[in-house]
Every structure is written in C-alpha cells, then in structure tokens.
Amino acid sequence: MPQPIDITLAAHRLTRRYGTGLAVAELDLELKRGEVLGLLGPNGAGKSTTMQMLTGNLAPSSGSIAVCGIDLLEQPKRAKARIGYLPETPPLYRELNVDEFLAFCARLHRIPRTALAQAVQQAKARCGLADMGRRLIAHLSKGYQQRVGIAQAILHQPDVVILDEPTVGLDPNQIRDIRALIRELSANHSVILSTHILPEVEAVCDRVHIMHHGRIVFSDSIEGLRRSQQTEILLLGFARPPTLESFIAMTGASAAQRRDNGLFQVPCAPDSALAQTITQAAARNDWGLTQMTPEHTSLEDVFAALTRTEQNTEAAA
Amino acid sequence: MIATLAWKEFRSLFASPLAWVILAVIQLVMALVFFWYLSQYFEIMPRIQQLANPPGVTEIVVGGSFYFAAILLQVAVALLSMRLLSDEYRNRTISLLLSAPISSAEIALGKFCGLMLFLLIPVGLLTLMSASLALGGVVDWGLIGANLLALVLLLAVYSALGLLISSLTAHPLLAGFGTFMALVLLMLLNILATDPNATSNYLSPLSHFEILAKGLIDTSNLSFLVILTVTLLVLASKILDRRRMQG
C-alpha cells in the first residue's frame, strides 16, 4: 500500500545574515517521512547554519520553518518536540554517565517517567551502547561519544532527525556502523544529515542537496544523481592518432578534445552508438586503437563543477 | 522541567572538586566565626547585662555569623555561578537545551534553582549551628528564622546576578571575576555609605539584608530582594533568547 505523502519538515525562503554577509540565502527545503536527505557542501557553505535554524538553535533572518505542519518560530516547544538534533560537536555533559545523560535528555523531552527507562534502553540498543550505561561520557572514545550524541537525538522518537556531520572523526568501522544506523533510522524517522564526504551521501541518502555559499546549487534524488553520473567520458588512445579536426570529421563527435597526454576524450551518453562509430572509423582509417576507457563523472566532479563555477562567476563579478 | 534542570545542575556541581572544596572551606570558616562570636559574647556578657535592654545571644552570635556568611558566600556564588552558562557555551552543550522543547526562561530558572539548592547546604549547616545554641540557653527562634530568610533572599540575588553575568560570556573565569567584582561593588555601596538613607545604600542588597536580619520583616525590603532577583533572571533568559538571534 503506498504511503500518503507526508511532509515532516518544510523550510521556505530561509535566510540568515551575519552582519552584511549572507550565511544562508532563500533556502527552500522539504523532507518526506522516511526520507534521508543529504546536505552536501564544502566547509562554510552554510550547512551548519541551516541545521541550527531548522532545530531552533538560531533564529532565521527571514523565512519560515514548519515541522509536521507546526511553525517552529511561532510554536517552538511543540515543534521542537518533534526534532532530534546532533550538532557538529555532540552536546554531552562529560561529568555524567551514559544512563544519567540519556535520562536527563529524556526528561528534557518530557518523556513520561513510566516510559523513561524503556526509551533509554531502546536508544542505547539502537546505537550500540547497551553495555556502556555506567561509563562516564568523559571516558568514552570519540566514536562512542558520537553514538551517545545520536542516541540523544533519537531518544524521544522524533519525526525529524537532524545530524550535523555524524561521521566526522570516526574510524572506518565506526563510520560503517553509523551509516547502517542512519539507514535503519530512516524506517521510522526522516533524516537530514550534512557532510562533505561524497560517498557518504551515496551510501545512505535518498536525496541530495548540494549547498554552496548559502544556496542550494544542486538538488536531485540519488537515482537522478547516478543518472547524471552515467554521462560517461570515453578516453581513446591511438597508435597513429589523427588530428583532432579529422577525428571530429570522421566520427561526428563534435565535443571531442585532445588531452595533454595524447588521449582523446569524448563525452558519450551510455546508450549512444558513438563508441561503435569510433571503432569503425578507427579501423577504416588505420588509427590503431589502443585504448578505449569509459570514465565516470563521479559525484566529486559534479560537486567540483558546481562549486567551482560559482567561484569563477564570483571572481569575475 | 525546571526541577529536572535544577537537579542536573546540582549533580554537575558535585562532579567537580571545586564544589566539595568550597563546601568544606566555608563550613570550616563559618564554624570558626561562629565560635569566635560565641566567645566574644561570653566576654562582653558581664558588661552588657547592666544595660537596660541587652542584646541576646542570638542577636550577637547568630546575627554576626549570618552577616559574615552573607559576605563570605559572595566568593562561593562567584565561583559556582561562573560555569552555569559559560560552560554550556564553551562546550557547545547549550544546543542540547536550545533544541529541547523548553523555553529560555525555564533554562534560566532551572540553572538558578540548581545553584540555590547547592547554596542551601552551607546555609542549612549554619542554621543548625545556630539552633545548637538552644542546647545551652534560650534562643530567639524568630530571629534565626529572620536571618535564614534574609540570607536565602540575598543569595537569590547573588545567584541571579551570577547567572546573568555567566550568560554573557563563554569564558567561565571572566564570568566568575565579573560576578565577584559586581558583588563587591554592591557590598561597598552598603559598607561605605555614611548616611543609611542614601540612595546608594538603598541600592545595595546587603542593606536590605541587614534590615531583614534584624527581624524587621517588612514588605518593602522583602520585595526589593525578590524583585531584583526576578529582574536579573528575566534579563538572563532574554540574553539566552538573544543568542538565538545572533548565533
């Protein structure tokens, strides 16, 4: 049975100014139930500022935020009850042990006394903290502190979980665990996570927004992203290379370029017959085809292209 | 909610050795002071007996000790209040409170109550010492009650001021120093006033404490301390709100 479309978080024309600088500019964002949204961008792109606004830690200069239809700025208490937030630095009281800390957080979120122990148990189990209850937070490793931070964010079963760079500073095993946890969370919660690590987005997100200079410069589903990635570049090597002009004339690949190392590069849609045309032309003209390698445009390239053009236009301005 | 925050604050205070050291030192000093006032009383007792209306043991020993506590606890409040919010800013734990469904006023009030809860320990011990006078003589319970009330209200002003100053900076030491200096200044307004009716004397919470501690419980002095406390707490919660605006 298809789930009804249920918007858990909607931000409209969200803007934040610092003095004269714009940290976030007219950002629109929508999150559906069960969706994992990746907020991607270089450092200083406005990801953290956006998340601080979405969680009510920072008042936007203009714009509106609604959590499950409740306006965050007008009814902060009701709206915040539906949000779980892990900031960049996990907000942990180092002098408390894990159980005490989580019990405190549960009370902050008004979890009834009778349900408190179970909520804490459940959050600990989900974050792999089952045996850590009596440990002082100050004595935990960075990875476990991060888990406590996440446990704190999901403790009260919020509709929206907002995680600011949840895997930063963790070792590869811990990163894998946290990613699995995020995937698991998406069954019951909507998740927004910010990162500047591209494979992370591919690993866990359904949708991605790329931010740069406070604006969303790219927004698509992960499938859309993969599709755009499938625009391949073919790298061609020839024993007796033709000139670029004659290559273009023979194959009709008008966008072909010659690289410094002598290889030809040709953009090529995955289902086009261009590869066939090239091999035939190479055989006919005795170019001696030595290499034909497809080169994927990776997410890195998309990202670099988007953020670099912005920089260029800015430098030009 | 306020109780939750207050209890957490109370627990956190005891996590640092500072709180234990403060408690121990204050108790030691207060016991010495109490004993000193007691011996003073015995020394002057033969002489003051000839007065028409001699001051009792409660007035001299309890009154003196509570006044001394009012001065001494300024240091404790400065040291204990400096971390209330500054530490939260510095360790970025404040976002836990700001993203929870609680208001800034609740945060301020919770922190304030936590500190007050702690301060009630030395005050309680001092009250017990005063009550122990009953073992060897007749004490004026009303006067002890007045001193207790006056000291608690005075400490409420101190704590609210400390919380406010702590809300202004992410540097606990700066907050502690600021609070201490502000408290010293308020104390000097009272001590240096030549005319007890001067405005500067009126502005010092200590002058209102003195009147209340004499047993003159009147609305004007009570409300001065209460209103001052409430005002400082409201200011602190406004500062917390403003941090959301400024980031």
Side-chain angles (χ1 to χ4, degrees), chain A residues 169-181:
Chain A
L170 302 185
D171 70 38
N173 283 331
Q174 294 169 330
I175 289 179
R176 217 179 41 215
D177 290 351
I178 300 262
R179 281 182 190 164
L181 176 63

Side-chain angles (χ1 to χ4, degrees), chain B residues 70-109:
Chain B
I71 306 292
L72 182 67
L73 285 171
Q74 290 180 4
V75 186
V77 170
L79 285 171
L80 294 168
S81 71
M82 67 183 186
R83 298 171 57 184
L84 286 179
L85 285 164
S86 301
D87 252 15
E88 301 256 5
Y89 298 155
R90 203 180 45 163
N91 301 331
R92 313 254 176 111
T93 46
I94 190 73
S95 56
L96 185 76
L97 302 178
L98 292 184
S99 28
I102 47 174
S103 64
S104 297
E106 282 173 312
I107 297 174
L109 210 55

Side-chain angles (χ1 to χ4, degrees), chain A residues 16 18 55-59 77 80-81 85 87 89 91-93 95 100-101 104-105 107-110 152, chain B residues 1 4-5 8 11-12 15 88 92-93 95-103 106 243-247:
Chain A
R16 173 73 206 189
Y18 283 113
T55 53
N57 273 254
L58 192 63
K77 278 195 190 182
K80 281 179 187 174
Y85 176 41
T89 321
L92 307 175
Y93 294 112
E95 69 271 17
E100 289 169 337
F101 175 74
F104 171 66
C105 296
R107 275 187 226 111
L108 279 186
H109 281 281
R110 299 193 159 81
Q152 162 273 126
Chain B
M1 189 50 56
T4 301
L5 282 161
K8 188 257 143 197
R11 289 283 320 272
S12 287
E88 301 256 5
R92 313 254 176 111
T93 46
S95 56
L96 185 76
L97 302 178
L98 292 184
S99 28
I102 47 174
S103 64
E106 282 173 312
R243 283 188 75 90
R244 281 184 226 216
M245 306 304 291
Q246 293 179 333

Side-chain angles (χ1 to χ4, degrees), chain A residues 186-226:
Chain A
S186 69
N188 309 314
H189 316 263
S190 309
V191 182
I192 300 186
L193 80 130
S194 80
T195 178
H196 52 254
I197 308 160
L198 301 160
E200 189 152 294
V201 171
E202 290 186 292
V204 300
C205 296
D206 302 310
R207 217 145 52 84
V208 57
H209 284 337
I210 297 180
M211 283 188 78
H212 191 58
H213 289 302
R215 286 168 207 279
I216 291 179
V217 291
F218 176 92
S219 171
D220 206 342
S221 65
I222 284 291
E223 287 88 62
L225 195 73
R226 293 226 173 89

